[in-house]
PDB file of all heavy atoms in Angstrom:
ATOM      1  N   LEU A  93      19.038  17.070  73.696  1.00  0.00           N
ATOM      2  CA  LEU A  93      20.318  16.752  73.078  1.00  0.00           C
ATOM      3  C   LEU A  93      20.334  15.266  72.746  1.00  0.00           C
ATOM      4  O   LEU A  93      20.216  14.419  73.628  1.00  0.00           O
ATOM      5  CB  LEU A  93      21.468  17.096  74.033  1.00  0.00           C
ATOM      6  CG  LEU A  93      22.868  16.784  73.530  1.00  0.00           C
ATOM      7  CD1 LEU A  93      23.197  17.616  72.295  1.00  0.00           C
ATOM      8  CD2 LEU A  93      23.877  17.055  74.639  1.00  0.00           C
ATOM      9  N   ALA A  94      20.462  14.946  71.462  1.00  0.00           N
ATOM     10  CA  ALA A  94      20.479  13.543  71.028  1.00  0.00           C
ATOM     11  C   ALA A  94      21.903  13.033  70.868  1.00  0.00           C
ATOM     12  O   ALA A  94      22.190  11.878  71.184  1.00  0.00           O
ATOM     13  CB  ALA A  94      19.709  13.380  69.716  1.00  0.00           C
ATOM     14  N   ASP A  95      22.811  13.889  70.370  1.00  0.00           N
ATOM     15  CA  ASP A  95      24.201  13.476  70.163  1.00  0.00           C
ATOM     16  C   ASP A  95      25.075  14.721  70.194  1.00  0.00           C
ATOM     17  O   ASP A  95      25.018  15.543  69.286  1.00  0.00           O
ATOM     18  CB  ASP A  95      24.331  12.751  68.819  1.00  0.00           C
ATOM     19  CG  ASP A  95      25.713  12.149  68.610  1.00  0.00           C
ATOM     20  OD1 ASP A  95      26.722  12.782  68.993  1.00  0.00           O
ATOM     21  OD2 ASP A  95      25.788  11.041  68.055  1.00  0.00           O
ATOM     22  N   ILE A  96      25.888  14.845  71.233  1.00  0.00           N
ATOM     23  CA  ILE A  96      26.721  16.039  71.388  1.00  0.00           C
ATOM     24  C   ILE A  96      27.810  16.114  70.327  1.00  0.00           C
ATOM     25  O   ILE A  96      28.110  17.184  69.811  1.00  0.00           O
ATOM     26  CB  ILE A  96      27.312  16.136  72.816  1.00  0.00           C
ATOM     27  CG1 ILE A  96      27.831  17.540  73.067  1.00  0.00           C
ATOM     28  CG2 ILE A  96      28.364  15.074  73.058  1.00  0.00           C
ATOM     29  CD1 ILE A  96      28.147  17.832  74.509  1.00  0.00           C
ATOM     30  N   ALA A  97      28.386  14.969  69.961  1.00  0.00           N
ATOM     31  CA  ALA A  97      29.469  14.966  68.977  1.00  0.00           C
ATOM     32  C   ALA A  97      28.977  15.422  67.607  1.00  0.00           C
ATOM     33  O   ALA A  97      29.672  16.154  66.902  1.00  0.00           O
ATOM     34  CB  ALA A  97      30.083  13.573  68.879  1.00  0.00           C
ATOM     35  N   ASP A  98      27.788  15.005  67.226  1.00  0.00           N
ATOM     36  CA  ASP A  98      27.227  15.369  65.922  1.00  0.00           C
ATOM     37  C   ASP A  98      26.350  16.614  65.982  1.00  0.00           C
ATOM     38  O   ASP A  98      25.747  16.988  64.985  1.00  0.00           O
ATOM     39  CB  ASP A  98      26.396  14.211  65.358  1.00  0.00           C
ATOM     40  CG  ASP A  98      27.255  13.031  64.947  1.00  0.00           C
ATOM     41  OD1 ASP A  98      28.457  13.239  64.666  1.00  0.00           O
ATOM     42  OD2 ASP A  98      26.728  11.916  64.910  1.00  0.00           O
ATOM     43  N   LYS A  99      26.249  17.228  67.176  1.00  0.00           N
ATOM     44  CA  LYS A  99      25.415  18.418  67.363  1.00  0.00           C
ATOM     45  C   LYS A  99      23.990  18.162  66.869  1.00  0.00           C
ATOM     46  O   LYS A  99      23.439  18.912  66.076  1.00  0.00           O
ATOM     47  CB  LYS A  99      26.028  19.623  66.669  1.00  0.00           C
ATOM     48  CG  LYS A  99      27.380  20.025  67.229  1.00  0.00           C
ATOM     49  CD  LYS A  99      27.897  21.252  66.522  1.00  0.00           C
ATOM     50  CE  LYS A  99      29.258  21.636  67.077  1.00  0.00           C
ATOM     51  NZ  LYS A  99      29.833  22.764  66.359  1.00  0.00           N
ATOM     52  N   THR A 100      23.415  17.066  67.373  1.00  0.00           N
ATOM     53  CA  THR A 100      22.075  16.638  66.975  1.00  0.00           C
ATOM     54  C   THR A 100      21.092  16.850  68.112  1.00  0.00           C
ATOM     55  O   THR A 100      21.365  16.490  69.250  1.00  0.00           O
ATOM     56  CB  THR A 100      22.094  15.147  66.576  1.00  0.00           C
ATOM     57  OG1 THR A 100      22.991  14.982  65.472  1.00  0.00           O
ATOM     58  CG2 THR A 100      20.718  14.653  66.193  1.00  0.00           C
ATOM     59  N   GLY A 101      19.942  17.429  67.790  1.00  0.00           N
ATOM     60  CA  GLY A 101      18.904  17.658  68.782  1.00  0.00           C
ATOM     61  C   GLY A 101      17.560  17.131  68.317  1.00  0.00           C
ATOM     62  O   GLY A 101      17.329  16.956  67.126  1.00  0.00           O
ATOM     63  N   GLN A 102      16.678  16.882  69.290  1.00  0.00           N
ATOM     64  CA  GLN A 102      15.330  16.411  69.004  1.00  0.00           C
ATOM     65  C   GLN A 102      14.330  17.438  69.545  1.00  0.00           C
ATOM     66  O   GLN A 102      14.067  17.474  70.742  1.00  0.00           O
ATOM     67  CB  GLN A 102      15.084  15.057  69.636  1.00  0.00           C
ATOM     68  CG  GLN A 102      15.869  13.950  68.969  1.00  0.00           C
ATOM     69  CD  GLN A 102      15.548  12.610  69.579  1.00  0.00           C
ATOM     70  OE1 GLN A 102      15.862  12.373  70.736  1.00  0.00           O
ATOM     71  NE2 GLN A 102      14.921  11.757  68.796  1.00  0.00           N
ATOM     72  N   PRO A 103      13.769  18.269  68.643  1.00  0.00           N
ATOM     73  CA  PRO A 103      12.777  19.237  69.084  1.00  0.00           C
ATOM     74  C   PRO A 103      11.447  18.554  69.395  1.00  0.00           C
ATOM     75  O   PRO A 103      11.104  17.534  68.798  1.00  0.00           O
ATOM     76  CB  PRO A 103      12.638  20.175  67.884  1.00  0.00           C
ATOM     77  CG  PRO A 103      13.047  19.355  66.714  1.00  0.00           C
ATOM     78  CD  PRO A 103      14.042  18.360  67.223  1.00  0.00           C
ATOM     79  N   TRP A 104      10.722  19.122  70.337  1.00  0.00           N
ATOM     80  CA  TRP A 104       9.406  18.591  70.706  1.00  0.00           C
ATOM     81  C   TRP A 104       8.523  19.754  71.150  1.00  0.00           C
ATOM     82  O   TRP A 104       9.022  20.796  71.566  1.00  0.00           O
ATOM     83  CB  TRP A 104       9.532  17.551  71.822  1.00  0.00           C
ATOM     84  CG  TRP A 104      10.122  18.100  73.089  1.00  0.00           C
ATOM     85  CD1 TRP A 104      11.466  18.235  73.383  1.00  0.00           C
ATOM     86  CD2 TRP A 104       9.415  18.616  74.213  1.00  0.00           C
ATOM     87  NE1 TRP A 104      11.618  18.809  74.624  1.00  0.00           N
ATOM     88  CE2 TRP A 104      10.374  19.054  75.163  1.00  0.00           C
ATOM     89  CE3 TRP A 104       8.063  18.755  74.524  1.00  0.00           C
ATOM     90  CZ2 TRP A 104      10.023  19.613  76.378  1.00  0.00           C
ATOM     91  CZ3 TRP A 104       7.712  19.315  75.756  1.00  0.00           C
ATOM     92  CH2 TRP A 104       8.687  19.731  76.661  1.00  0.00           C
ATOM     93  N   LEU A 105       7.224  19.571  71.017  1.00  0.00           N
ATOM     94  CA  LEU A 105       6.289  20.600  71.423  1.00  0.00           C
ATOM     95  C   LEU A 105       4.921  19.959  71.630  1.00  0.00           C
ATOM     96  O   LEU A 105       4.512  19.106  70.851  1.00  0.00           O
ATOM     97  CB  LEU A 105       6.173  21.682  70.336  1.00  0.00           C
ATOM     98  CG  LEU A 105       5.261  22.836  70.731  1.00  0.00           C
ATOM     99  CD1 LEU A 105       6.085  24.097  70.964  1.00  0.00           C
ATOM    100  CD2 LEU A 105       4.232  23.085  69.658  1.00  0.00           C
ATOM    101  N   VAL A 106       4.246  20.364  72.691  1.00  0.00           N
ATOM    102  CA  VAL A 106       2.860  19.961  72.928  1.00  0.00           C
ATOM    103  C   VAL A 106       2.059  21.229  73.174  1.00  0.00           C
ATOM    104  O   VAL A 106       2.610  22.254  73.580  1.00  0.00           O
ATOM    105  CB  VAL A 106       2.721  18.972  74.117  1.00  0.00           C
ATOM    106  CG1 VAL A 106       3.363  17.634  73.787  1.00  0.00           C
ATOM    107  CG2 VAL A 106       3.311  19.553  75.392  1.00  0.00           C
ATOM    108  N   GLY A 107       0.760  21.146  72.901  1.00  0.00           N
ATOM    109  CA  GLY A 107      -0.056  22.339  73.032  1.00  0.00           C
ATOM    110  C   GLY A 107      -1.394  22.074  73.699  1.00  0.00           C
ATOM    111  O   GLY A 107      -1.796  20.921  73.886  1.00  0.00           O
ATOM    112  N   THR A 108      -2.042  23.167  74.030  1.00  0.00           N
ATOM    113  CA  THR A 108      -3.404  23.112  74.554  1.00  0.00           C
ATOM    114  C   THR A 108      -4.350  23.445  73.401  1.00  0.00           C
ATOM    115  O   THR A 108      -3.918  23.887  72.333  1.00  0.00           O
ATOM    116  CB  THR A 108      -3.608  24.130  75.691  1.00  0.00           C
ATOM    117  OG1 THR A 108      -3.586  25.445  75.137  1.00  0.00           O
ATOM    118  CG2 THR A 108      -2.553  23.985  76.772  1.00  0.00           C
ATOM    119  N   ASP A 109      -5.639  23.262  73.613  1.00  0.00           N
ATOM    120  CA  ASP A 109      -6.616  23.614  72.577  1.00  0.00           C
ATOM    121  C   ASP A 109      -6.595  25.107  72.263  1.00  0.00           C
ATOM    122  O   ASP A 109      -7.035  25.529  71.197  1.00  0.00           O
ATOM    123  CB  ASP A 109      -8.026  23.196  73.006  1.00  0.00           C
ATOM    124  CG  ASP A 109      -8.204  21.686  72.977  1.00  0.00           C
ATOM    125  OD1 ASP A 109      -7.534  21.023  72.156  1.00  0.00           O
ATOM    126  OD2 ASP A 109      -9.001  21.175  73.783  1.00  0.00           O
ATOM    127  N   LYS A 110      -6.047  25.900  73.151  1.00  0.00           N
ATOM    128  CA  LYS A 110      -5.992  27.348  72.944  1.00  0.00           C
ATOM    129  C   LYS A 110      -4.938  27.750  71.904  1.00  0.00           C
ATOM    130  O   LYS A 110      -4.939  28.887  71.441  1.00  0.00           O
ATOM    131  CB  LYS A 110      -5.741  28.053  74.268  1.00  0.00           C
ATOM    132  CG  LYS A 110      -6.907  27.878  75.222  1.00  0.00           C
ATOM    133  CD  LYS A 110      -6.638  28.468  76.574  1.00  0.00           C
ATOM    134  CE  LYS A 110      -7.840  28.186  77.475  1.00  0.00           C
ATOM    135  NZ  LYS A 110      -7.593  28.450  78.859  1.00  0.00           N
ATOM    136  N   VAL A 111      -4.080  26.832  71.507  1.00  0.00           N
ATOM    137  CA  VAL A 111      -3.054  27.165  70.525  1.00  0.00           C
ATOM    138  C   VAL A 111      -3.689  27.536  69.184  1.00  0.00           C
ATOM    139  O   VAL A 111      -3.169  28.398  68.471  1.00  0.00           O
ATOM    140  CB  VAL A 111      -2.008  26.030  70.375  1.00  0.00           C
ATOM    141  CG1 VAL A 111      -2.565  24.845  69.616  1.00  0.00           C
ATOM    142  CG2 VAL A 111      -0.747  26.551  69.711  1.00  0.00           C
ATOM    143  N   ASP A 112      -4.818  26.950  68.837  1.00  0.00           N
ATOM    144  CA  ASP A 112      -5.468  27.277  67.569  1.00  0.00           C
ATOM    145  C   ASP A 112      -5.939  28.727  67.537  1.00  0.00           C
ATOM    146  O   ASP A 112      -5.880  29.385  66.502  1.00  0.00           O
ATOM    147  CB  ASP A 112      -6.641  26.334  67.305  1.00  0.00           C
ATOM    148  CG  ASP A 112      -6.173  24.899  67.093  1.00  0.00           C
ATOM    149  OD1 ASP A 112      -5.030  24.707  66.627  1.00  0.00           O
ATOM    150  OD2 ASP A 112      -6.938  23.973  67.413  1.00  0.00           O
ATOM    151  N   ARG A 113      -6.415  29.239  68.670  1.00  0.00           N
ATOM    152  CA  ARG A 113      -6.870  30.632  68.745  1.00  0.00           C
ATOM    153  C   ARG A 113      -5.702  31.608  68.696  1.00  0.00           C
ATOM    154  O   ARG A 113      -5.892  32.785  68.422  1.00  0.00           O
ATOM    155  CB  ARG A 113      -7.689  30.864  70.010  1.00  0.00           C
ATOM    156  CG  ARG A 113      -9.068  30.232  69.907  1.00  0.00           C
ATOM    157  CD  ARG A 113      -9.889  30.593  71.111  1.00  0.00           C
ATOM    158  NE  ARG A 113      -9.762  29.469  72.034  1.00  0.00           N
ATOM    159  CZ  ARG A 113      -9.943  29.520  73.326  1.00  0.00           C
ATOM    160  NH1 ARG A 113     -10.249  30.641  73.902  1.00  0.00           N
ATOM    161  NH2 ARG A 113      -9.817  28.447  74.074  1.00  0.00           N
ATOM    162  N   ALA A 114      -4.520  31.117  68.958  1.00  0.00           N
ATOM    163  CA  ALA A 114      -3.324  31.965  68.971  1.00  0.00           C
ATOM    164  C   ALA A 114      -2.435  31.677  67.764  1.00  0.00           C
ATOM    165  O   ALA A 114      -1.241  31.933  67.792  1.00  0.00           O
ATOM    166  CB  ALA A 114      -2.551  31.721  70.266  1.00  0.00           C
ATOM    167  N   ALA A 115      -3.014  31.154  66.684  1.00  0.00           N
ATOM    168  CA  ALA A 115      -2.230  30.653  65.556  1.00  0.00           C
ATOM    169  C   ALA A 115      -1.255  31.673  64.974  1.00  0.00           C
ATOM    170  O   ALA A 115      -0.076  31.374  64.809  1.00  0.00           O
ATOM    171  CB  ALA A 115      -3.159  30.123  64.463  1.00  0.00           C
ATOM    172  N   VAL A 116      -1.718  32.864  64.647  1.00  0.00           N
ATOM    173  CA  VAL A 116      -0.835  33.845  63.997  1.00  0.00           C
ATOM    174  C   VAL A 116       0.297  34.290  64.918  1.00  0.00           C
ATOM    175  O   VAL A 116       1.473  34.199  64.542  1.00  0.00           O
ATOM    176  CB  VAL A 116      -1.645  35.040  63.446  1.00  0.00           C
ATOM    177  CG1 VAL A 116      -0.718  36.143  62.943  1.00  0.00           C
ATOM    178  CG2 VAL A 116      -2.578  34.564  62.330  1.00  0.00           C
ATOM    179  N   PRO A 117       0.013  34.754  66.145  1.00  0.00           N
ATOM    180  CA  PRO A 117       1.150  35.129  67.006  1.00  0.00           C
ATOM    181  C   PRO A 117       2.037  33.926  67.360  1.00  0.00           C
ATOM    182  O   PRO A 117       3.248  34.061  67.502  1.00  0.00           O
ATOM    183  CB  PRO A 117       0.499  35.726  68.254  1.00  0.00           C
ATOM    184  CG  PRO A 117      -0.949  35.459  68.157  1.00  0.00           C
ATOM    185  CD  PRO A 117      -1.264  35.086  66.746  1.00  0.00           C
ATOM    186  N   PHE A 118       1.442  32.742  67.476  1.00  0.00           N
ATOM    187  CA  PHE A 118       2.231  31.544  67.752  1.00  0.00           C
ATOM    188  C   PHE A 118       3.210  31.278  66.616  1.00  0.00           C
ATOM    189  O   PHE A 118       4.392  31.011  66.845  1.00  0.00           O
ATOM    190  CB  PHE A 118       1.311  30.346  67.965  1.00  0.00           C
ATOM    191  CG  PHE A 118       2.041  29.040  68.063  1.00  0.00           C
ATOM    192  CD1 PHE A 118       2.791  28.737  69.186  1.00  0.00           C
ATOM    193  CD2 PHE A 118       1.999  28.124  67.028  1.00  0.00           C
ATOM    194  CE1 PHE A 118       3.491  27.538  69.277  1.00  0.00           C
ATOM    195  CE2 PHE A 118       2.690  26.928  67.115  1.00  0.00           C
ATOM    196  CZ  PHE A 118       3.437  26.633  68.236  1.00  0.00           C
ATOM    197  N   LEU A 119       2.729  31.367  65.373  1.00  0.00           N
ATOM    198  CA  LEU A 119       3.614  31.129  64.226  1.00  0.00           C
ATOM    199  C   LEU A 119       4.754  32.134  64.188  1.00  0.00           C
ATOM    200  O   LEU A 119       5.911  31.758  63.994  1.00  0.00           O
ATOM    201  CB  LEU A 119       2.819  31.177  62.920  1.00  0.00           C
ATOM    202  CG  LEU A 119       1.908  29.994  62.658  1.00  0.00           C
ATOM    203  CD1 LEU A 119       1.041  30.254  61.437  1.00  0.00           C
ATOM    204  CD2 LEU A 119       2.696  28.712  62.478  1.00  0.00           C
ATOM    205  N   ARG A 120       4.440  33.406  64.381  1.00  0.00           N
ATOM    206  CA  ARG A 120       5.485  34.437  64.368  1.00  0.00           C
ATOM    207  C   ARG A 120       6.552  34.147  65.419  1.00  0.00           C
ATOM    208  O   ARG A 120       7.744  34.232  65.164  1.00  0.00           O
ATOM    209  CB  ARG A 120       4.875  35.804  64.636  1.00  0.00           C
ATOM    210  CG  ARG A 120       4.178  36.389  63.467  1.00  0.00           C
ATOM    211  CD  ARG A 120       3.767  37.829  63.776  1.00  0.00           C
ATOM    212  NE  ARG A 120       2.783  38.269  62.813  1.00  0.00           N
ATOM    213  CZ  ARG A 120       1.597  38.752  63.127  1.00  0.00           C
ATOM    214  NH1 ARG A 120       1.254  38.925  64.383  1.00  0.00           N
ATOM    215  NH2 ARG A 120       0.763  39.119  62.187  1.00  0.00           N
ATOM    216  N   ASN A 121       6.121  33.842  66.627  1.00  0.00           N
ATOM    217  CA  ASN A 121       7.064  33.614  67.719  1.00  0.00           C
ATOM    218  C   ASN A 121       7.802  32.296  67.596  1.00  0.00           C
ATOM    219  O   ASN A 121       8.967  32.208  67.970  1.00  0.00           O
ATOM    220  CB  ASN A 121       6.340  33.713  69.069  1.00  0.00           C
ATOM    221  CG  ASN A 121       6.120  35.156  69.451  1.00  0.00           C
ATOM    222  OD1 ASN A 121       7.014  35.801  69.973  1.00  0.00           O
ATOM    223  ND2 ASN A 121       4.951  35.677  69.145  1.00  0.00           N
ATOM    224  N   SER A 122       7.157  31.267  67.077  1.00  0.00           N
ATOM    225  CA  SER A 122       7.846  29.981  66.948  1.00  0.00           C
ATOM    226  C   SER A 122       8.976  30.084  65.929  1.00  0.00           C
ATOM    227  O   SER A 122      10.033  29.491  66.111  1.00  0.00           O
ATOM    228  CB  SER A 122       6.874  28.857  66.598  1.00  0.00           C
ATOM    229  OG  SER A 122       6.219  29.082  65.378  1.00  0.00           O
TER     230      SER A 122
END
Side-chain angles (χ1 to χ4, degrees):
L93 179 63
D95 187 321
I96 196 167
D98 290 336
K99 297 182 181 176
T100 300
Q102 290 183 294
W104 61 275
L105 183 110
V106 292
T108 70
D109 289 331
K110 294 175 183 168
V111 74
D112 294 332
R113 286 185 263 157
V116 172
F118 172 72
L119 287 172
R120 283 188 196 125
N121 282 278
S122 61

